[in-house]
Amino acid sequence: MRSPPSPLCATHSVIIKRGSDTFEIPDRLPVLPLRDVVAFPYVVMPLLIGRQASLNAAQVAWESHRFVLLIAQRDASTLEPKSRDVYRVGVVAHLQSVTQLPNGSTRILLEGLGAVSVSRVASHKGALVATLVEPREIVAPDAADEATARQMLQRFEEYASLTRRIPVEVVQFATGSDDLYRTSFLLAAHLNVRTPVRQRLLESPTLKDLLTGLNKVLAGELEMLALEKSIDDEVRGSIHRNQREFYLQEQLRVINRELGNDDGDDLSEVATAVETADLPEDVRTRADKELRKLRRMSPMSPEATVIRNYLDWILTLPWVTEKTLEVAPGTMDVAHTRDVLNADHHGLRDVKERILDHVAVLANVGKMDGPMLCLVGPPGVGKTSLGRSIARALGRKFVRMSLGGVHDEAEIRGHRRTYIGSMPGRILQGMRRAGSVNPVMLLDEIDKLGRDHRGDPGSALLEVLDPEQNKTFNDHYLELDYDLSQVFFITTANTLGGIPDALRDRLEIVRLPGYLETEKLAIAREFLLPRQCERAGIAMDSVKLDPDVLPKIIRYYTREAGVRDLERQLARLTRKIARRRAEAAEGAEPSDTILSTDLTAMLGVAPFDPDEDVRQDQVGVSTGLAYTSVGGEVLDIEVSVVPGRGRLQLTGALGDVMKESAGAALTYARSRADQLGLQRDFHKTRDIHIHIPDGATPKDGPSAGIAIATALISALTNVPVRASVAMTGEITLRGRVLPIGGLKEKAVAALRTARTDVIVPERNARELDELPIEVKNGIRFHPVSSMDQVLELALNRTGARSTSKRRDGRAARSADATPPTGKVLPVPTPPPSTH
Ligand code: ADP
């Protein structure tokens, strides 16, 4: 060591107590400034010193009383600390050894004796000298201190076990010692905390403060350690998982390669597909984004499958492709469309005209504008095939989708991608099927749309059909705007009633009322039969049908407004013909012409007989006309009256409105009891049963009112109803007759079943002019305004006289079945009785 500085002049000494030891210390001591370390009493610590001030201090102490003052520097980076750079509380230490190391530095060993406050620190010849004040007071611990200490020790043990940096002996010593001061300082010395924190612990004025301070520091440290551990675990866990996945995938890849199913290039195939696809800008951006996501994923993960599906949809949906059918140039004109519609369909003049209006707009504007077409009519009247013809005429693809039973908005608009197995809604599925951006899309059965808690598919459909909105149709799955504005939408429905109101406002309704027999004949000859012959592989001109074969099939084998069953029967017929020919080729005798008598053998026993019902006038049986989802229909209304207590029974799948009509008819009968010659209290002494057969078909609506009243009064008065008369009209309680809808369809049904007279409400009379000529020629219409007029026309009072003697309440066929006025369409002669 070098020459010592001038001696430090201590004026008096300070007494320091440490447990049972007492030390007398001079009140001026050389200072050893500490960097990043705080010394504590009791703690023995080695230090490496190298700064001149430190070396000087150590030398002075070593050569005199061997006491130094250890004080922490406020800032560890200060190389030559001045008075203000060190704290004001330090620890007096005893210098136990000084060793020169070969590298030039000096190693000293110190033992902390006690903490002291310092009143002054001064520089003296290159070293710092401190003037000591009173040492810290040592107070015996109380019970609360003991409790805090226990908690502190528990925490310390936990801390030691988590950090694993504290020697076991320290923990053992700390937990085994009775001296709380000693234990606390030992703990403080071993905590891995920053200097200011340690310094604060050292400066604690009392034992209680020291213990509480330590406890707080330990609690904070434990929290930090727990957090570190959980982060660590997570990181470790994810590394493990990733490694595991990576390992498994590598194995899978090797296995696949061995098996020859190497799909390593799959991703690059998708990438190439995205790159080369003809996509609008925003779609491409989205596709690229998804592709990037896909690249980052393991190819086998479920998320990757979801993204692949999504990309697949983007790639297969038509975004820009226009037409996909080969069409001659200039086919977008009205004349061409008219030719095609006529070539495919008989009649339907009105409907074709309306379609041509739309096509004209399309040709001018280049896209659909205004309300969309809605074809309303019973099954089999050609709604779908009209759609197909339009597509053919315009050279566009045709897609049809049924919306019957769709309850969920998501079926139209798709499910969000978060759902497992989700996909776009039906509209976009249809677009994918079409493969072009401008197909003709037929939305079938919009009157059967449901609606429940899963949303309203009708409102989604509104958006689809609205030219203002459908340019940016938003499907939940796709999450990209899709342009539907070039699609030619056509909707269809069986009845108007089921179409949601909001939707009906946006549609141009075109009605197809059903076909007359002559129309069916023409359709069968010109379209259905040739088509079925072709399907059966026989030449049309080789098939010879007797002239009454087709009428017989229509009347006796079908009962429908459209021609679907008719087509089915003709398909059967042509198959039979094909078989006959095949058998003839094998030697059997061929018969060339098909006669109407052959039909039973070929098509089975005829299920219908239109003449049967009208052969007899009957008591309590009237003929109503209804308009149902399968078109105009004839309803037989039966009423039976038996002695009883006034019960009214209604059967035959009747809707509420029809039941109310029955109630109104009964009230009317009671109010007219005197005029009708009924007993005043008949409603109390008789049970009345009203039945409308064919119970499987639900029937509703008020238009059967007058027919129910007629059957009821007939049953009560025992006067038969004319079988040739059919009727339709709503009844009021006072017997007024109110107008009804669907007159044309009903009239067609009446003619189909060979009724000659139809009673209609006066207020419907205006519509009679518009009826097809065939109907006007075949049926006599009787407009009426009151129930009295109805009874006058419908009841056969002559028949009543002839049958009144009968006890069974049933009338035989009346001798005078001809209605009061007008000409009568001849009832078709029943076919020869071959069955
Ligand atoms: P809808 O869609 O109204 O139920 P479809 O279009 O399926 O009826 O018609 C049933 C069959 O009847 C089809 O084969 C169709 O070509 C044929 N058809 C219907 N009306 C006509 C018509 N006016 N002319 C020619 N064929 C018709």
Side-chain angles (χ1 to χ4, degrees):
M1 284 193 182
R2 299 182 200 162
S3 60
S6 52
L8 300 166
C9 323
T11 50
H12 49 270
S13 52
V14 175
I15 305 296
I16 291 180
K17 285 204 175 105
R18 193 186 71 176
S20 51
D21 303 327
T22 307
F23 306 99
E24 194 179 341
I25 311 285
D27 72 340
R28 294 215 182 137
L29 284 183
V31 173
L32 228 167
L34 302 178
R35 296 199 288 174
D36 272 339
V37 188
V38 176
F40 288 97
Y42 292 103
V43 179
V44 176
M45 59 177 189
L47 277 181
L48 275 181
I49 53 174
R51 289 186 286 177
Q52 196 54 53
S54 306
L55 290 170
N56 290 349
Q59 190 176 6
V60 170
W62 187 249
E63 289 172 0
S64 53
H65 40 58
R66 299 203 172 177
F67 294 121
V68 283
L69 184 67
L70 304 175
I71 301 189
Q73 273 180 223
R74 293 181 198 276
D75 181 354
S77 61
T78 314
L79 283 178
E80 291 180 15
K82 304 272 175 315
S83 165
R84 63 174 180 279
D85 297 326
V86 295
Y87 285 103
R88 282 292 174 270
V89 174
V91 168
V92 176
H94 184 245
L95 187 58
Q96 296 189 334
S97 68
V98 177
T99 318
Q100 292 282 345
L101 295 181
N103 64 2
S105 59
T106 305
R107 183 170 178 270
I108 55 174
L109 193 67
L110 297 149
E111 182 188 354
L113 303 180
V116 289
S117 299
V118 171
S119 64
R120 190 163 164 264
V121 177
S123 300
H124 182 76
K125 296 197 173 166
L128 288 175
V129 177
T131 309
L132 309 191
V133 228
E134 288 305 296
R136 313 246 109 193
E137 202 185 343
I138 294 186
V139 195
D142 62 13
D145 294 339
E146 297 282 355
T148 319
R150 203 173 300 160
Q151 197 179 25
M152 173 189 77
L153 282 172
Q154 270 175 10
R155 288 189 170 150
F156 182 68
E157 275 183 280
E158 200 179 331
Y159 176 80
S161 78
L162 282 174
T163 58
R164 299 196 196 141
R165 248 183 277 147
I166 296 171
V168 198
E169 311 85 68
V170 173
V171 182
Q172 279 170 355
F173 181 84
T175 48
S177 162
D178 289 337
D179 185 342
L180 279 185
Y181 268 102
R182 191 171 182 175
T183 311
S184 306
F185 288 136
L186 192 66
L187 260 56
H190 280 95
L191 288 182
N192 183 22
V193 291
R194 288 180 307 119
T195 306
V197 180
R198 287 171 191 246
Q199 181 67 26
R200 248 191 324 271
L201 290 173
L202 179 68
E203 291 179 9
S204 309
T206 62
L207 176 63
K208 195 184 290 301
D209 292 325
L210 178 57
L211 289 172
T212 322
L214 268 171
N215 232 345
K216 271 195 199 151
V217 171
L218 276 168
E221 284 300 298
L222 283 177
E223 211 165 290
M224 288 301 288
L225 284 171
L227 201 65
E228 277 172 18
K229 184 170 178 332
S230 83
I231 293 173
D232 193 47
D233 285 352
E234 215 166 280
V235 171
R236 217 182 283 263
S238 81
I239 289 173
H240 281 305
R241 246 195 333 273
N242 286 347
Q243 278 173 340
R244 204 177 106 88
E245 249 173 50
F246 178 76
Y247 176 71
L248 289 174
Q249 267 158 25
E250 278 306 301
Q251 279 196 329
L252 195 69
R253 210 163 289 159
V254 173
I255 292 171
N256 273 332
R257 201 166 29 221
E258 289 301 312
L259 291 174
N261 326 329
D262 196 354
D263 69 347
D265 286 339
D266 204 20
L267 197 60
S268 58
E269 263 171 37
V270 179
T272 320
V274 169
E275 212 170 288
T276 52
D278 200 357
L279 301 174
E281 209 40 54
D282 57 328
V283 181
R284 170 167 306 285
T285 313
R286 182 61 184 266
D288 286 344
K289 193 172 143 203
E290 298 289 331
L291 199 61
R292 277 199 299 279
K293 255 198 261 171
L294 185 61
R295 284 209 164 101
R296 285 199 301 270
M297 274 174 195
S298 93
M300 297 299 155
S301 69
E303 291 87 351
T305 316
V306 170
I307 294 188
R308 267 165 192 274
N309 277 345
Y310 181 77
L311 284 172
D312 193 42
W313 270 101
I314 286 197
L315 290 172
T316 47
L317 270 174
W319 296 97
V320 283
T321 322
E322 287 245 327
K323 286 174 191 167
T324 37
L325 292 185
E326 285 299 316
V327 281
T331 43
M332 255 291 273
D333 61 26
V334 177
H336 172 76
T337 310
R338 178 183 289 123
D339 291 346
V340 174
L341 288 179
N342 284 338
D344 291 348
H345 294 91
H346 170 89
L348 300 175
R349 214 189 46 205
D350 264 12
V351 185
K352 288 175 184 168
E353 287 302 313
R354 303 275 278 279
I355 292 175
L356 291 176
D357 295 346
H358 279 255
V359 171
V361 172
L362 182 66
N364 289 341
V365 181
K367 64 178 191 129
M368 292 292 287
D369 210 359
M372 304 288 170
L373 269 179
C374 177
L375 309 178
V376 181
V381 291
K383 301 184 292 295
T384 312
S385 70
L386 277 169
R388 211 168 259 131
S389 278
I390 297 173
R392 185 162 84 86
L394 302 180
R396 296 179 174 209
K397 284 275 179 153
F398 177 74
V399 270
R400 166 181 180 268
M401 73 190 66
S402 173
L403 299 181
V406 168
H407 282 269
D408 192 347
E409 189 192 351
E411 286 203 48
I412 305 281
R413 225 191 249 290
H415 282 291
R416 298 207 179 275
R417 264 205 288 166
T418 40
Y419 280 87
I420 298 289
S422 54
M423 52 172 184
R426 292 194 186 204
I427 300 292
L428 289 195
Q429 290 178 30
M431 293 308 291
R432 170 146 107 169
R433 254 188 292 143
S436 70
V437 291
N438 59 355
V440 172
M441 189 178 280
L442 187 89
L443 305 173
D444 232 351
E445 300 194 314
I446 58 159
D447 53 337
K448 310 254 174 20
L449 270 183
R451 168 187 199 155
D452 61 17
H453 60 279
R454 283 166 293 184
D456 177 8
S459 64
L461 208 56
L462 268 181
E463 195 184 316
V464 171
L465 296 176
D466 184 351
E468 301 288 314
Q469 297 184 53
N470 68 10
K471 200 166 168 45
T472 54
F473 175 67
N474 195 283
D475 185 279
H476 289 329
Y477 177 85
L478 204 62
E479 293 171 339
L480 285 167
D481 285 344
Y482 191 88
D483 183 358
L484 291 172
S485 63
Q486 301 202 56
V487 180
F488 192 121
F489 284 108
I490 305 174
T491 56
T492 82
N494 285 144
T495 57
L496 268 184
I499 308 178
D501 287 344
L503 205 52
R504 199 188 317 182
D505 287 349
R506 303 277 174 92
L507 299 172
E508 184 182 339
I509 308 285
V510 181
R511 298 182 74 138
L512 291 87
Y515 296 118
L516 301 166
E517 192 177 308
T518 45
E519 290 175 312
K520 288 185 183 176
L521 262 178
I523 295 172
R525 266 195 215 109
E526 292 168 36
F527 297 95
L528 307 182
L529 198 57
R531 184 153 62 220
Q532 293 310 326
C533 283
E534 195 185 326
R535 284 198 189 148
I538 50 182
M540 172 67 185
D541 45 13
S542 69
V543 176
K544 296 192 182 70
L545 298 184
D546 208 42
D548 57 353
V549 166
L550 285 178
K552 184 174 173 187
I553 295 178
I554 291 168
R555 272 185 230 152
Y556 292 85
Y557 285 85
T558 69
R559 179 172 281 180
E560 59 175 351
V563 290
R564 198 171 278 173
D565 269 349
L566 178 58
E567 185 162 27
R568 221 169 278 146
Q569 296 296 351
L570 292 179
R572 271 173 86 186
L573 187 74
T574 46
R575 282 198 297 271
K576 288 281 183 217
I577 296 174
R579 181 161 152 213
R580 272 194 187 186
R581 295 203 176 160
E583 283 171 352
E586 287 161 14
E589 189 59 26
S591 84
D592 237 19
T593 306
I594 311 288
L595 301 173
S596 66
T597 43
D598 295 333
L599 286 181
T600 314
M602 298 179 90
L603 301 180
V605 177
F608 306 109
D609 182 353
D611 316 314
E612 180 180 74
D613 303 337
V614 280
R615 262 179 259 148
Q616 284 191 344
D617 293 357
Q618 291 180 31
V619 169
V621 178
S622 71
T623 307
L625 294 171
Y627 179 44
T628 69
S629 61
V630 292
E633 282 231 79
V634 167
L635 294 180
D636 281 329
I637 296 171
E638 298 178 353
V639 176
S640 146
V641 177
V642 291
R645 280 180 293 152
R647 277 193 322 140
L648 175 65
Q649 197 184 353
L650 299 153
T651 51
L654 310 187
D656 286 343
V657 181
M658 202 171 252
K659 285 181 183 163
E660 282 167 20
S661 290
L666 185 60
T667 308
Y668 164 76
R670 280 174 58 191
S671 71
R672 306 282 285 168
D674 286 348
Q675 290 89 327
L676 294 170
L678 305 176
Q679 279 181 354
R680 282 230 173 130
D681 59 352
F682 78 88
H683 59 285
K684 290 188 192 150
T685 57
R686 312 279 175 92
D687 281 352
I688 297 170
H689 184 173
I690 300 177
H691 179 62
I692 306 187
D694 190 10
T697 323
K699 311 164 197 85
D700 205 4
S703 70
I706 62 171
I708 296 174
T710 305
L712 178 68
I713 290 163
S714 156
L716 288 166
T717 55
N718 216 13
V719 178
V721 184
R722 289 181 204 282
S724 58
V725 176
M727 60 195 85
T728 176
E730 183 176 348
I731 185 173
T732 69
L733 296 180
R734 298 169 163 225
R736 283 195 306 122
V737 178
L738 301 183
I740 46 79
L743 183 67
K744 185 172 174 195
E745 290 83 352
K746 290 173 177 175
V748 169
L751 186 65
R752 196 165 62 229
T753 51
R755 262 61 184 193
T756 54
D757 291 78
V758 173
I759 301 176
V760 297
E762 178 85 57
R763 276 161 61 188
N764 285 106
R766 276 179 295 135
E767 299 164 40
L768 295 174
D769 276 350
E770 291 160 20
L771 293 180
I773 189 79
E774 192 178 345
V775 176
K776 285 198 268 192
N777 286 342
I779 288 184
R780 221 174 354 230
F781 288 95
H782 305 276
V784 298
S785 58
S786 78
M787 195 59 213
D788 293 345
Q789 290 170 286
V790 175
L791 295 177
E792 194 56 42
L793 288 159
L795 295 183
N796 181 358
R797 299 196 190 275
T798 341
R801 274 195 302 282
S802 64
T803 57
S804 57
K805 288 180 208 104
R806 294 181 61 155
R807 286 280 160 100
D808 60 2
R810 292 229 149 197
R813 182 173 186 177
S814 107
D816 175 18
T818 319
T821 51
K823 65 176 187 299
V824 182
L825 183 83
V827 172
T829 21
S833 54
T834 51
H835 47 262

